Amino acid sequence: MCSSDLLLFAWVRKRKRQGQPSQKVGAPRRGLVARLVMLFKRRLKIKLKIAFSFYQIATKVGETYMVVYPSSVEATLDFLSFVNLELDGLGLPLACVSLGSFRNKLLFLMLAPLGMLLLTKAIGWVRHDRDEVRRELEESSRQASSASEPSASLSVGRGSHLRVSLKHSTYTALPMMLRVTFLAFPAVSSLAFKAFRCDDLDSNDAFDGPAVMNADLAVICWDEYGDHTEQYTRVTTIAAMAILAYPVAVPLCYLLLFWKVRRNVWKGEETL
């Protein structure tokens, strides 16, 4: 990371000198140093986010998919397991707040970020720039009037205020919404996939079961005849909803956002 950043800084400084040959030597140094520091902070922030997300996933691969690591790797991942933000690692009395079972824990981890998103949206609605909404509506009204469409101008004044306000409130809340989904995505995804791993209590007999869920031994997956229990069916239904909401829907939302700002990203412009 350091070598690539130093090379980037040297290239920027060289381009700066080539682009302003007529200025005095040392005049642009202060502004250049400030820009380099800002660039370094931005690149470091991106690298830290990538590393944080990577270890959130890497520390859960072993227990979720029964992967056996070497002892040195296992010790390193155990040391970094705090990045998962799981309820079990906080040392809280989960049973006292009805979060001791796998089903309740999964429901809480799945719905709590959604509640945070709604709260963030409400805060964005309160904090959005109403002057900017008014200016945008006035500009739309002028464009409709110049096009000789009085009815369109009237509809802009009456019907578009809510739409424009929702758009600006979403822009205000979007950075925090992205942080919430970024933190919740690995924890909910890994916990949801654990619901489909069951262990046969006696694999040496001639029966298919009974089997219990590895993440919660109180949940019987199927009986001795191989029929899924009603309790396990409810758990897997919630797990399937969590998988659709996070491992599937969250990347699709990110892809949609990137597609909408693709031209700004290519040009190096602001996206909000």
Side-chain angles (χ1 to χ4, degrees):
M1 179 180 69
C2 296
S3 60
S4 62
D5 289 339
L6 290 175
L7 291 174
L8 177 62
F9 295 163
W11 179 82
V12 171
R13 186 164 186 173
K14 181 179 178 182
R15 296 285 296 179
K16 185 69 177 179
R17 288 178 175 177
Q18 292 177 352
Q20 297 180 349
S22 61
Q23 292 186 358
K24 295 181 180 180
V25 177
R29 286 184 180 178
R30 183 174 301 176
L32 178 60
V33 171
R35 284 191 292 272
L36 290 178
V37 171
M38 185 181 301
L39 182 61
F40 176 77
K41 289 182 178 179
R42 185 174 64 180
R43 290 172 61 88
L44 181 61
K45 182 179 179 181
I46 293 173
K47 289 179 173 63
L48 289 177
K49 289 172 64 176
I50 294 174
F52 186 86
S53 181
F54 169 78
Y55 283 110
Q56 273 191 312
I57 298 174
T59 53
K60 303 304 296 181
V61 169
E63 61 179 288
T64 303
Y65 301 106
M66 301 296 292
V67 178
V68 179
Y69 293 116
S71 58
S72 58
V73 177
E74 188 71 29
T76 303
L77 294 179
D78 288 340
F79 175 76
L80 296 171
S81 61
F82 65 90
V83 300
N84 288 296
L85 305 177
E86 286 192 345
L87 297 176
D88 293 335
L90 299 179
L92 300 176
L94 301 180
C96 297
V97 290
S98 302
L99 293 178
S101 65
F102 180 87
R103 174 178 174 272
N104 293 343
K105 192 186 308 179
L106 180 58
L107 272 175
F108 177 79
L109 287 179
M110 181 178 65
L111 297 179
L114 299 180
M116 287 292 297
L117 293 180
L118 293 177
L119 179 61
T120 305
K121 177 65 175 177
I123 295 175
W125 174 267
V126 174
R127 296 182 56 189
H128 78 276
D129 192 349
R130 290 169 174 79
D131 293 334
E132 183 66 25
V133 173
R134 188 183 67 254
R135 287 192 294 269
E136 184 172 339
L137 289 173
E138 291 175 353
E139 181 65 24
S140 300
S141 180
R142 282 195 298 269
Q143 293 178 0
S145 299
S146 62
S148 301
E149 297 179 359
S151 59
S153 176
L154 185 61
S155 64
V156 167
R158 290 181 177 178
S160 297
H161 187 276
L162 179 61
R163 177 180 57 83
V164 176
S165 298
L166 286 174
K167 181 181 71 172
H168 282 271
S169 64
T170 302
Y171 289 163
T172 303
L174 188 57
M176 182 55 66
M177 296 171 71
L178 292 176
R179 293 186 183 98
V180 171
T181 55
F182 175 80
L183 293 174
F185 175 80
V188 179
S189 301
S190 61
L191 187 63
F193 280 108
K194 289 181 182 180
F196 300 96
R197 196 176 74 195
C198 297
D199 296 330
D200 193 348
L201 294 178
D202 189 0
S203 58
N204 296 322
D205 58 10
F207 299 100
D208 295 331
V212 295
M213 195 166 65
N214 184 274
D216 189 352
L217 300 180
V219 178
I220 299 177
C221 299
W222 52 81
D223 56 21
E224 59 183 6
Y225 301 105
D227 298 328
H228 286 183
T229 62
E230 183 179 354
Q231 182 185 20
Y232 182 65
T233 302
R234 289 196 298 266
V235 171
T236 53
T237 301
I238 297 173
M241 295 171 59
I243 291 172
L244 290 177
Y246 287 89
V248 177
V250 170
L252 288 178
C253 291
Y254 287 173
L255 180 61
L256 178 62
L257 290 174
F258 276 120
W259 178 259
K260 290 179 70 67
V261 300
R262 63 190 185 281
R263 294 185 176 87
N264 303 80
V265 173
W266 291 338
K267 297 177 182 179
E269 300 175 350
E270 293 291 335
T271 55
L272 287 178

